[in-house]
Amino acid sequence: MPTGFQGKQVNCQLKIVSQIIREYQIEQIDLLKIDVLLGIETEDWKKIKQVFVEVHDLDDRLDKISNLLKDQGFANIKVEQELILNGSNIFSLYAW
């Protein structure tokens, strides 16, 4: 009898953040905890007050995401790494 995880294919509808903002007529987001920042349209960035994202720093992603957030008006960016993740490429990025 096999043990461990087994995969199962599930079909689902995907939406980008800006689609959800329009669909629910969201005017402000106090904190956005997200894994993918793609799909936020230019006019929606001003609605977001804070961002938290876990970054796997491959191919300079940490710098790219930091620069994207700076370009979108986030003046404060803080990068941390949990002690248990020390030496890995996994970081927490906060922007406000």
Side-chain angles (χ1 to χ4, degrees):
M1 176 145 244
T3 60
F5 295 105
Q6 296 184 11
K8 178 180 178 183
Q9 184 172 341
V10 177
N11 293 323
C12 62
Q13 180 182 8
L14 296 177
K15 294 183 180 184
I16 63 171
V17 173
S18 287
Q19 286 174 310
I20 295 167
I21 289 171
R22 277 192 301 281
E23 183 177 331
Y24 291 95
Q25 300 175 358
I26 297 170
E27 295 180 15
Q28 179 174 312
I29 300 171
D30 294 322
L31 174 64
L32 180 65
K33 194 314 191 175
I34 194 163
D35 294 323
V36 179
L37 291 172
L38 300 175
I40 301 174
E41 295 174 5
T42 304
E43 65 272 8
D44 292 324
W45 278 105
K46 64 180 179 261
K47 299 175 183 179
I48 302 168
K49 305 305 175 200
Q50 299 178 73
V51 174
F52 170 81
V53 61
E54 182 181 279
V55 179
H56 294 245
D57 193 21
L58 304 169
D59 300 323
D60 237 8
R61 280 188 201 154
L62 196 56
D63 285 337
K64 290 175 184 175
I65 292 172
S66 295
N67 289 331
L68 168 68
L69 292 168
K70 287 176 189 173
D71 290 346
Q72 296 305 327
F74 291 91
N76 302 294
I77 296 177
K78 183 175 183 180
V79 176
E80 296 180 345
Q81 188 175 52
E82 293 184 39
L83 288 176
I84 196 166
L85 298 173
N86 193 19
S88 75
N89 65 357
I90 302 172
F91 296 87
S92 297
L93 186 148
Y94 304 88
W96 65 100

